[in-house]
């Protein structure tokens, strides 16, 4: 048997001593198996932690719940004076408020009465004590007690039903729980159904009944579809069933699906809701003199709720928008079913004080445009009218007024939104005494009249009829009933004087059916056969006839193609065939420009997600077509060929192509947006590669190449520096002197073995091979000329700038040292030979 340790008189170990808590990583491993002993402070901390834990468990019995602890199923703890057992693994769940994770094991006696009374408040097995003593003699008298209890039971929710006793009185009132349940069932069956029989007029034993809040008709001598006394005028139609709850009248179909609901709302006359498949769908709401008809939305007295992703509403006499009465139309889209929303006004119709009918159109719920009816009709865009003032809704509103059998056009710019302004008349359209409608732009003196459907600037048609100048220059376009259009222009006029309009060009419709445009005095015609713009020729009888020795044509066809045609050396009056030099069709990703040689398609530029320049090849929108025996193309930012922002160089087989045949391109080289160039073959250069110091150094005037015959040879410009090695020719050296002794320094060299390391973000990588060599800066301390670079040097972008060995220098000092050792060895051998005994 394990004895309880002595506590109370013995303090925890090292409670007041020197302690050091080791890191968590050391605690998880424990003391290592080594000669390193733990320190005194660490041992004090470990024993203090252990003895405190023992004293805590001896004192508390069970540990208190702690949020960071990871409890598993079956763990026991105490919390707020009660004991709990973990139902499942849990962490951070406080037991008293986490019944799904913890089960209560123990409560104090003082908590029992509260717990029992709480459970008894909803227990359906007990009667209220005050009613049991005064009302019930025994369980069998439940029926007789019905009349006494009825007024107490009707309409009282079960949670507070006066049929129940408190748990403390149950034993004194009921013999068994079974008897209590029997009494409850007998009593409930009488209460739940109240029979209502009429006083007369039909069988006294049957009539109208209410069960579970539903009105039913059981009278045999009444039409089954009606409730009430037949012919009394007070019948209630019984289709479908009607219920009333909390002041809401609800009408359902025979299957119980709700069809309509009518209820009062705070400050609202009535709210009539229509249902579909039992769900609210539409509303009719009356309040404060306003009637609102709503589709796909409902109103609860405070908020509108969407019943579809779109909702519309008509408000009659909406006081918040039209205080003088009228209508308001609302509409919303993109709603979420079941969420509240604010109806957005689209249009209002209301009378103004002046008697005009006023239509206001809204944008994003804000008033913006008006239509007003009165002595004339006014249509305003970007502005609203309140019966007295115009208010700007845009910085540049406009207005059209139907007045005096004509029109006035108003326009303003630079207004402040929300500011009152006076519309400015910018033009009028009227019917003068002559009967010709005239359109005048305000302030410009420019009038257009319809006597011959003229569109004139700088003059107006007088009573003559004659033209009267409004400016020193005049222009007029006259489309007449013969199908021709004449263009007139005059200069140097005197304002107010009459003049004759001078014809400068005409468009006619000749017998060939082709409209022709003629510039007066030049003999140059244009024909819109395909919307042509032509100089130097005209089109007649199905062909071109020269008007000059040179011809140019810009033709835009209905198919979206634009053709450029040019001819030279023509004879005026002779027929000729127009030569195409370029065509363009399509737009965006299908825009193609084709270039012609001797009238035959030869090369092109087209876009297809990128830009393509094709030589001796063309593109028909789906395939490449050969136009010569060989062809090439350049793709700029072309998907499938180049990287984004780059270039692709395409070839089509080199030679031997068949003209007109479909061909496929081959990418031979690419140039990306970073300037990287790659090709599918060896890169050839006429001069070589430019020299520079590192990636960021300035380009120098020299070029280098590496040539390979029997070995790799380095060329700088046109000089061959030989196989890649250190140049040692005497002709490139000076101050040549015998090398002094280097043996002492060589003996200080430290040969090492090593492996190359992987350097992140740099060019150096491990090859997993053990090498032999030296450390560069150690060699540099002994032989400075044998090492390039400085110790710990970095490149301009922060990478390693490695030191390198000059093996030529190092080989020379090693050779000198070998020679010295060989000389010394020769001396030693000579001495030893002389010391050897000689034979007699």
């Amino acid at each position: 048997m394990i004895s309880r340790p002595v506590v109370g008189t013995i303090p925890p170990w090292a409670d007041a001593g020197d302690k050091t808590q080791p890191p968590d990583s050391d605690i998880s491993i424990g003391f290592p198996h080594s000669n390193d002993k733990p320190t005194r402070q660490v041992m004090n901390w470990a024993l203090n932690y252990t003895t405190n834990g023992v004293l805590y468990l001896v004192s508390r019995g069970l540990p208190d719940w702690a949020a960071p602890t990871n409890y598993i199923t079956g763990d026991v703890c105490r919390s707020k004076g009660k004991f709990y057992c973990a139902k499942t693994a849990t962490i951070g769940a406080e037991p008293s408020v986490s019944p799904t994770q913890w089960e209560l094991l123990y409560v104090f006696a003082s908590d029992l009465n509260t717990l029992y009374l709480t459970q008894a408040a909803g227990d359906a097995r007990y009667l209220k004590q005050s009613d049991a003593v005064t009302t019930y003699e025994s369980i069998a008298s439940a029926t007789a007690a019905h009349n006494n209890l009825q007024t107490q039971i009707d309409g009282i929710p079960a949670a507070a039903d006066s049929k129940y006793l408190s748990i403390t009185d149950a034993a004194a009132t009921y013999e068994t729980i079974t008897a209590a349940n029997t009494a409850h069932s007998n009593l409930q069956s009488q209460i739940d159904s109240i029979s209502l029989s009429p006083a007369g007029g039909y069988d006294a034993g049957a009539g109208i009944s209410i069960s579970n809040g539903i009105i039913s008709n059981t009278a045999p001598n009444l039409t089954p579809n009606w409730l009430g006394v037949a012919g009394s005028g007070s019948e209630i139609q019984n289709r479908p069933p009607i219920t009333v709850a909390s002041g809401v009248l609800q009408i359902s179909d025979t299957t119980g699906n709700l069809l309509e609901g009518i209820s009062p709302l705070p400050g609202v006359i009535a709210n009539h809701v229509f249902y579909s498949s039992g769900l609210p769908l539409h509303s009719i709401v009356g309040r404060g003199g306003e009637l609102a008809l709503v589709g796909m939305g409902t109103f609860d007295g405070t908020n509108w709720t969407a019943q579809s992703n779109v909702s519309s509403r008509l408000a009659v006499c909406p006081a918040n928008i039209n205080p003088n009465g009228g209508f308001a139309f609302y509409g919303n889209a993109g709603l979420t079913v079941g969420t509240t929303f604010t109806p957005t006004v689209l249009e209002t119709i209301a009378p103004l004080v002046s008697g005009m009918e006023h239509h206001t159109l809204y944008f994003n719920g804000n008033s913006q445009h008006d239509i007003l009816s009165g002595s004339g009709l006014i249509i305003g865009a970007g502005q609203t009218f309140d019966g007295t003032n115009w208010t700007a809704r845009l910085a540049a509103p406009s207005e059209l007024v139907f007045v005096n059998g004509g029109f006035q056009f108003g326009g303003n710019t630079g207004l402040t939104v929300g500011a009152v302004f006076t519309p400015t008349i910018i033009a009028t359209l009227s019917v003068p005494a002559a009967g010709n409608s005239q359109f005048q732009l305000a302030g410009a003196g420019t009038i257009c009249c319809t006597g011959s459907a003229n569109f004139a600037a700088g003059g107006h048609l007088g009573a003559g009829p004659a033209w009267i100048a409004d400016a020193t220059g005049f222009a007029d376009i006259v489309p007449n009933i013969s199908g021709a259009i004449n263009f007139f222009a005059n200069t140097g006029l005197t304002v107010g004087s009459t003049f004759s309009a001078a014809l400068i060009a005409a468009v006619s419709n000749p017998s060939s059916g082709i409209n022709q445009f003629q510039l007066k005095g030049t003999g140059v015609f244009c024909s819109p056969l395909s919307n042509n713009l032509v100089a130097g020729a005209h089109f007649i009888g199905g062909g071109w006839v020269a008007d000059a020795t040179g011809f140019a044509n810009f033709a835009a066809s209905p198919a979206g193609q634009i053709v450029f045609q040019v001819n030279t050396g023509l004879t005026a009056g002779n027929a000729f065939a127009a030569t195409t030099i370029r065509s363009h069709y399509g737009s965006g990703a299908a825009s193609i420009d084709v270039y012609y040689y001797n009238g035959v398609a030869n090369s092109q530029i087209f876009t297809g997600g990128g830009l393509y320049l094709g030589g001796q090849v063309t593109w028909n929108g789906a395939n490449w077509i050969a136009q010569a025996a060989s062809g090439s193309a350049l793709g700029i930012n072309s998907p499938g060929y180049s990287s984004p922002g780059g270039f692709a160089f395409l070839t089509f087989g080199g030679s031997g192509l068949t003209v007109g045949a479909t061909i496929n391109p081959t990418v031979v080289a690419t140039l990306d947006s970073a300037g990287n160039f790659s090709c599918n073959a060896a890169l050839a250069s006429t001069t070589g590669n430019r020299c520079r110091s590192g990636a960021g150094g300035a380009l120098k005037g020299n070029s280098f190449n590496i040539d390979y015959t029997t070995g790799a040879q380095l060329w700088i410009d046109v000089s061959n520096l030989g196989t890649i090695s250190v140049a040692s020719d005497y002709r490139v050296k000076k101050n040549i002197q015998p090398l002094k002794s280097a043996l002492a320094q060589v003996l200080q060299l430290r040969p090492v073995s090593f492996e190359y390391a992987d350097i992140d973000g740099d060019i150096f990588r491990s090859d997993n091979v053990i090498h032999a060599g030296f450390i560069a800066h150690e060699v540099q301390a002994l032989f400075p000329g044998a090492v390039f670079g400085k110790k710990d040097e970095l490149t301009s972008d922060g990478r390693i700038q490695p030191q390198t060995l000059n093996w030529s220098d190092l080989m020379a000092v090693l050779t000198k040292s070998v020679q010295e050792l060989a000389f010394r060895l020769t001396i030693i051998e000579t001495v030893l030979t002389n010391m050897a005994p000689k034979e007699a």
Side-chain angles (χ1 to χ4, degrees), residues 23 103 127 236 330 524 548 596 610 672 736 804 812:
E103 183 176 0
L127 288 175
I236 302 176
Y330 300 82
V524 178
Y596 292 76
D672 65 21
I736 301 174
T804 59

Side-chain angles (χ1 to χ4, degrees), residues 220-233:
N221 61 346
L222 287 178
T223 303
N225 292 329
W226 295 86
L227 298 176
V229 180
S232 66

Side-chain angles (χ1 to χ4, degrees), residues 445 458-460 466-472 493-499:
H460 64 276
W467 288 103
I468 300 175
D470 295 313
T472 58
L493 302 177
T494 301
V495 176
S497 63
T498 60
F499 66 95

Side-chain angles (χ1 to χ4, degrees), residues 126-133 152 161-166:
Y126 307 121
L127 288 175
K128 186 176 179 182
Q129 183 180 19
S130 59
D131 297 326
V133 174
Q152 301 179 47
D161 203 324
S162 59
K163 297 176 293 183
Y164 307 134
L165 288 174
S166 65

Side-chain angles (χ1 to χ4, degrees), residues 798-820:
R799 302 184 184 186
I800 294 175
Q801 174 59 58
Q803 287 184 287
T804 59
L805 292 179
N806 182 352
W807 288 105
S808 177
D809 280 27
L810 195 58
M811 186 181 298
V813 296
L814 292 176
T815 300
K816 179 63 177 177
S817 297
V818 170
Q819 289 175 342
E820 289 186 42

Side-chain angles (χ1 to χ4, degrees), residues 116-406:
Y116 293 153
L117 292 178
T118 300
Q119 294 173 341
D123 199 325
R125 297 173 297 175
Y126 307 121
L127 288 175
K128 186 176 179 182
Q129 183 180 19
S130 59
D131 297 326
V133 174
T134 60
T135 306
Y136 290 89
E137 295 296 333
S138 65
I139 298 303
S141 63
T143 301
H146 168 268
N147 294 331
N148 295 331
L149 287 179
Q150 189 63 59
T151 57
Q152 301 179 47
I153 294 174
D154 286 345
I156 301 176
D161 203 324
S162 59
K163 297 176 293 183
Y164 307 134
L165 288 174
S166 65
I167 191 172
T168 55
D169 300 320
T173 306
Y174 288 96
E175 292 294 328
T176 64
I177 297 300
T178 302
N181 285 335
T182 301
H184 170 266
S185 299
N186 293 337
L187 181 60
Q188 192 64 52
S189 62
Q190 300 177 47
I191 295 171
D192 288 342
S193 180
I194 303 173
S195 178
L196 304 177
S197 298
Y202 54 94
D203 294 342
I208 305 171
S209 65
I210 302 175
S211 178
N212 295 324
I214 299 176
I215 304 174
S216 302
N217 172 19
T218 58
N221 61 346
L222 287 178
T223 303
N225 292 329
W226 295 86
L227 298 176
V229 180
S232 66
S234 60
E235 299 95 336
I236 302 176
Q237 191 172 10
N238 186 28
R239 67 162 107 93
I242 301 172
T243 61
V244 179
S246 301
V248 178
L249 176 64
Q250 296 180 333
I251 303 175
S252 306
D253 60 18
T254 55
T255 61
N257 290 322
L258 191 59
L259 299 178
E260 296 180 43
I262 304 175
S263 63
L265 295 174
V268 177
I269 295 176
N271 184 19
H272 195 139
V273 181
F274 296 86
Y275 292 76
S276 175
S277 300
L279 300 175
L281 200 61
H282 311 296
S283 283
I284 301 176
V285 181
R287 56 176 180 175
E290 175 186 343
L291 177 64
L293 309 178
V294 186
M296 312 308 292
T298 55
F299 186 67
D300 62 6
T302 304
N303 297 310
W304 295 95
T305 301
Q307 305 302 335
S308 174
N309 62 349
V310 294
S311 177
S312 57
R313 170 187 167 198
L314 170 61
V316 183
C317 294
N320 60 326
I321 295 180
N322 295 323
N324 298 318
F327 304 87
F329 301 86
Y330 300 82
N332 291 74
L335 303 176
T336 300
V337 176
T339 61
T340 60
F341 69 97
T342 301
T344 300
V345 63
L346 302 177
E347 179 183 357
T348 60
I349 304 175
L352 292 176
V353 177
S354 59
M356 292 188 293
E357 182 180 332
H358 186 189
H359 286 246
T360 301
L361 304 179
Y362 289 72
F363 179 73
N364 287 338
N366 297 316
S367 59
Q368 193 158 27
H369 311 298
D370 267 354
I371 301 175
L372 309 173
S373 64
S375 57
L377 178 63
I378 303 174
I379 301 176
Q383 55 193 318
T384 54
F385 187 66
D386 61 6
T388 304
N389 297 312
W390 290 99
T391 301
R393 300 304 179 190
L394 296 174
S398 57
E399 158 198 334
L400 173 61
V401 182
F402 299 75
V403 61
N404 298 325

Side-chain angles (χ1 to χ4, degrees), residues 700-736:
K700 299 180 180 179
N702 303 99
S703 299
F704 76 89
N705 289 287
I706 298 177
D707 182 34
Y708 181 80
T709 53
T710 59
Q713 295 182 330
L714 177 64
W715 290 74
I716 300 296
D717 295 332
V718 295
S719 300
N720 184 352
L721 299 186
T723 302
I724 296 177
S725 60
V726 178
S728 189
D729 193 292
Y730 76 97
R731 292 172 296 179
V732 299
K733 301 179 181 180
K734 67 178 182 177
N735 295 329
I736 301 174

